[in-house]
Amino acid sequence: MFKERGEMVNSNNLKVTLIEDSLHIGEWIKENIETMEGLELADWEKDGENAVSRVQEIKPDIIILDLNLPGMKGLDILQQLRSKSAKPLIIVFTINELARKKVLEMGADYFFDKALEDQDLLKTLGTLGRLN
């Protein structure tokens, strides 16, 4: 179950922070995470502006990051997070296939194209949750 700000998440689950401005895609990801063993959506940021500070506050295990965000762009968020640490695991989920090589070179752990690889994202999340 999605936890509102200030609520504690189940410490046995991997905490996931979603950084995605599309309500449709965000709800789809949220609903799928809620059905997965070992995962819990700890935060959903719809604007890039506060994403880095929220990640530092929440300390998620996994981040699902869109690149095209209002406020701060996803590439800038990725760069800031990776300049501090190799953790958390970062999954870029975006429509920009041309960014695949760049984000992986910048330190993203996975890249999935929203148009073609949505089921691959779910399979990877499911695997990560089960391995937890």
Side-chain angles (χ1 to χ4, degrees):
M1 174 184 242
F2 179 69
K3 301 296 181 187
E4 297 298 325
R5 288 185 183 189
E7 290 185 39
M8 297 300 292
V9 296
N10 181 339
S11 62
N12 296 326
N13 289 337
L14 293 174
K15 294 186 293 186
V16 179
T17 291
L18 174 60
I19 306 172
E20 169 65 61
D21 63 324
S22 166
L23 292 178
H24 174 73
I25 292 170
E27 285 294 332
W28 176 78
I29 292 172
K30 176 185 162 201
E31 289 169 8
N32 278 284
I33 287 175
E34 288 174 347
T35 68
M36 292 181 184
E37 175 186 345
L39 298 178
E40 190 159 352
L41 188 60
D43 189 34
W44 177 5
E45 293 297 317
K46 297 170 186 77
D47 186 304
E49 195 67 34
N50 297 317
V52 173
S53 62
R54 288 292 294 161
V55 165
Q56 291 169 342
E57 179 183 330
I58 292 170
K59 297 181 183 12
D61 302 293
I62 300 170
I63 295 172
I64 302 171
L65 175 64
D66 185 17
L67 295 181
N68 189 22
L69 298 163
M72 182 183 288
K73 297 298 179 198
L75 286 176
D76 296 327
I77 293 168
L78 175 60
Q79 182 178 28
Q80 282 194 29
L81 293 174
R82 280 300 180 246
S83 71
K84 297 175 188 327
S85 174
K87 293 182 181 181
L89 188 138
I90 298 177
I91 300 171
V92 173
F93 187 54
T94 193
I95 199 74
N96 185 354
E97 172 63 30
L98 297 175
R100 180 182 301 265
K101 183 178 179 192
K102 181 174 182 76
V103 301
L104 293 172
E105 288 173 351
M106 291 177 67
D109 298 286
Y110 296 93
F111 178 99
F112 296 107
D113 185 322
K114 286 180 181 178
L116 303 171
E117 300 172 318
D118 56 334
Q119 294 306 306
D120 295 327
L121 169 68
L122 296 181
K123 287 177 192 171
T124 298
L125 287 170
T127 300
L128 292 169
R130 285 190 305 278
L131 293 174
N132 177 34

